[in-house]
Amino acid sequence: MRSISSPLDGFSSPFGARRGGGVSPFTPASLFAGSEEGVWYDPSDLSTLFQDAAGTTPVTAAADPAGLTLDKSGNDNHASQATAARRPTYQVTPNRLTVDKVDDRLITTVPAGGFVGTMVLGTDQGTASYGVNIPAGAYDIGGRGGQHFPGTAIVGQLIRDGALTTEEAAAVEADFVEKGATASYGAVTSFNNYWQNWSEITSFPLIDTSAGTDFSRAWLRCTSLTSFPLIDTSAGTDFAIAWIGCSGLTSFPLIDTSSGTDFSRAWEDCTSLTSFPLIDTSAGTDFAIAWIGCSGLTSFPLIDTSSGTDFSRAWEDCTSLTSFPLIDTSAGTDFSRAWLRCTSLTSFPLIDTSAGTNFAIAWQDCSSLTSFPLIDTSAGTDFSFAWLRCTSLTSFPANIFDSVKGGNFTDAFTNTALAQTSIDNILVSLVASGIATGTRVFDQSGGSAPSSTGEAAITTLRSRGWTVTVTGGF
Amino acid sequence: MRITIACPDALRDDANQLAMVLGYGRGDAQTYVDLNWQDADGNLYACASLPVSDTFTSAAQTALQRPAWDADNTVNMAGAGRAQAALVFSPVPVLALPDKLTACVGEDGPVVLAAMGLVAVDDELTSNP
């Protein structure tokens, strides 16, 4: 007789199991009925828990250490911990394995071929399903390195080689919740470090993060993520280091970052991003190192950076950017290394840098820039190395340094291609600044030597204590 | 009661000998392995956090006996003794020191480590120079 399958096969009836046959309650074991590889750990089943790694002393009471948890998937991929100090602790109500987030973790050995499929993790703080690609070998259960875990206790964990359907994953989540896992992450305010270094995650679920204020380091080095869901981050203030090293992300969603103040290092080394969304960064003050190393970005949106004060290293090594938008940097004070090695930039906009004090190394190695705008440098004190090795830079405006507050131009124009008018412009402007105290160093090489106008300016500067080195050796 | 212990790099070998004496077996030789924490001066530490009995602190400070399971002299008792001599117990978090095995009482391991002046090595990420 041909059996007829139903999409409800294996799931519990909303009316409960019928006496004398009928639909059986769902059990995660059914997901391994076809000899699928994977693991299923169930702390609610005391027969699977032992205090020691050898499995000689059973766990019987709350506060017992858990040195071994048996795999209920039928694959014998048991997880153990031989070192006493690293064992999670069994607790009740609900039955769970608590981890200290210092060194606790059980270790299983993923068999040859690895697990490419789905992981369902039920914790005391939330339950979710992830796409995973776990290579063969040792795998931490309870937190990467014992430190990074989305919760403080395992209520249930299932990993199957071969993706679960949405319905199957939901059924496992429901099973874990029935056993005491918290269903939603909706009450969590700090996601700090939760998924740090979970490089096995290939997809991240649309969990409820609406209460989250701290997302710092949450997805640090989740290198296998290629996309990211539109989670609710509307309450988030701290996004520092949130997606650093997510080198597989090819796109990023338009999440709500309107409350965010700290974006420092948020997308550092997201090397596969080619574009970036117009997120709301209007409250952001710290953009230091935010997009450093995003070498795939070819454009950058006109985000609101009007509250930003620290832009140091923000776009360093964004080597594919060919243009840069006229963002509001009017509150910015630190622009050091901001565009270092943006080697593809062919032009630079007239941004408001009127509050900027530190411009050191800001445009160093922007080797495609041919001209530079008349930005406001009136508060600037440090311009050392600012345009070093801008090897195509020929045109530089007059009067740009008329009101600067400091004279550190060490190697500022070394190895550039300045035209004679441009080097004259710079030197005359430095004379106009009147700087006669503090650091007084100016270096230029490459390009043209100054004319008699520039040489006269050099003479004046030297009379004010400057050390001036220019092309031609005057 | 839970204690959280910070073991500086230089004391790891000896501290793992002590962990075997105070613990359960050879597996405890891996108690201090990963140098995942550091102090303000950049000194690295391997840390452990574990629930212990009320008698643990006194037991850890009395004369060490070779454990009964160690019939083949796996444990370097001299090393365990050196670690014991470097052991500092505190009922409240105190700063970790690079020449001491510092053990502090507290229910939340990461909180205790922070109060000991330690941060996870990943928390001090360095960018491209």
Side-chain angles (χ1 to χ4, degrees), chain A residues 77-430:
Chain A
N77 293 319
H78 311 311
S80 63
Q81 179 51 263
T83 303
R86 295 181 169 188
R87 291 172 186 156
T89 304
Y90 171 73
Q91 294 292 356
V92 297
T93 320
N95 302 82
R96 63 195 190 278
L97 300 179
T98 62
V99 290
D100 61 22
K101 299 182 109 168
V102 174
D103 60 345
D104 285 358
R105 75 272 210 186
L106 298 164
I107 297 171
T108 189
T109 301
V110 175
F115 296 153
V116 181
T118 304
M119 173 171 67
V120 186
L121 178 59
T123 81
D124 58 324
Q125 296 186 355
T127 298
S129 300
Y130 310 82
V132 292
N133 185 346
I134 305 172
Y139 182 72
D140 289 350
I141 300 294
R144 191 58 15 79
Q147 294 175 261
H148 311 306
F149 184 75
T152 62
I154 305 167
V155 181
Q157 186 160 3
L158 180 147
I159 306 170
R160 195 184 73 169
D161 185 33
L164 300 181
T165 65
T166 303
E167 293 78 11
E168 288 170 336
V172 177
E173 290 184 22
D175 180 75
F176 289 172
V177 170
E178 188 176 331
K179 288 169 177 164
T182 298
S184 166
Y185 280 98
V188 175
T189 56
S190 175
F191 290 93
N192 173 264
N193 283 324
Y194 267 33
W195 297 278
Q196 179 173 324
N197 290 329
W198 285 48
S199 58
E200 73 273 28
I201 300 176
T202 56
S203 67
F204 194 82
L206 187 64
I207 59 173
D208 182 354
T209 55
S210 57
T213 57
D214 184 354
F215 293 94
S216 60
R217 304 171 191 275
W219 299 277
L220 187 154
R221 293 197 203 99
C222 287
T223 53
S224 297
L225 284 178
T226 56
S227 63
F228 197 78
L230 191 63
I231 58 174
D232 184 346
T233 53
S234 57
T237 57
D238 190 349
F239 293 93
I241 319 183
W243 297 276
I244 184 173
C246 289
S247 55
L249 281 179
T250 56
S251 64
F252 196 79
L254 189 63
I255 58 173
D256 184 345
T257 53
S258 57
S259 300
T261 56
D262 189 348
F263 295 95
S264 59
R265 307 185 75 166
W267 298 277
E268 178 177 335
D269 287 329
C270 288
T271 53
S272 297
L273 284 178
T274 55
S275 63
F276 196 78
L278 189 62
I279 58 173
D280 184 346
T281 53
S282 57
T285 57
D286 191 348
F287 294 95
I289 323 183
W291 297 276
I292 185 174
C294 288
S295 55
L297 282 178
T298 55
S299 64
F300 196 78
L302 189 63
I303 58 173
D304 184 345
T305 54
S306 57
S307 300
T309 57
D310 190 350
F311 294 96
S312 60
R313 307 185 72 176
W315 299 276
E316 180 176 325
D317 286 318
C318 287
T319 53
S320 297
L321 280 178
T322 55
S323 63
F324 196 78
L326 189 63
I327 58 173
D328 184 345
T329 53
S330 57
T333 57
D334 191 348
F335 294 95
S336 61
R337 302 178 69 153
W339 298 276
L340 170 63
R341 285 188 292 267
C342 287
T343 52
S344 297
L345 277 179
T346 55
S347 64
F348 195 78
L350 187 62
I351 58 173
D352 184 345
T353 54
S354 56
T357 57
N358 189 354
F359 295 92
I361 321 180
W363 298 276
Q364 180 178 313
D365 289 308
C366 287
S367 53
S368 297
L369 279 179
T370 56
S371 63
F372 200 78
L374 185 61
I375 60 171
D376 185 341
T377 60
S378 58
T381 57
D382 189 349
F383 298 89
S384 57
F385 310 98
W387 294 274
L388 171 65
R389 288 191 296 269
C390 287
T391 52
S392 300
L393 185 61
T394 55
S395 177
F396 210 80
N399 306 113
I400 189 169
F401 301 125
D402 283 4
S403 302
V404 293
K405 299 296 186 292
N408 189 355
F409 287 79
T410 306
D411 279 324
F413 293 94
T414 299
N415 212 346
T416 57
L418 293 175
Q420 190 170 68
T421 304
S422 295
I423 184 61
D424 285 350
N425 285 341
I426 293 166
L427 293 166
V428 169
S429 184
L430 289 177

Side-chain angles (χ1 to χ4, degrees), chain A residues 425-449:
Chain A
N425 285 341
I426 293 166
L427 293 166
V428 169
S429 184
L430 289 177
V431 170
S433 74
I435 299 287
T437 58
T439 304
R440 284 153 288 170
V441 178
F442 178 86
D443 295 313
Q444 177 221 7
S445 68
S448 299

Side-chain angles (χ1 to χ4, degrees), chain B residues 8-62:
Chain B
D9 186 10
L11 283 176
R12 274 191 299 169
D13 288 344
D14 287 346
N16 280 322
Q17 304 304 313
L18 180 62
M20 283 193 283
V21 174
L22 301 177
Y24 299 94
R26 290 175 180 79
D28 296 317
Q30 302 297 307
T31 298
Y32 307 102
V33 178
D34 303 318
L35 295 166
N36 289 339
W37 305 82
Q38 66 180 353
D39 63 21
D41 296 325
N43 299 303
L44 295 171
Y45 298 80
C47 296
S49 183
L50 68 161
V52 297
S53 67
D54 292 341
T55 59
F56 179 86
T57 52
S58 57
Q61 294 175 97
T62 55

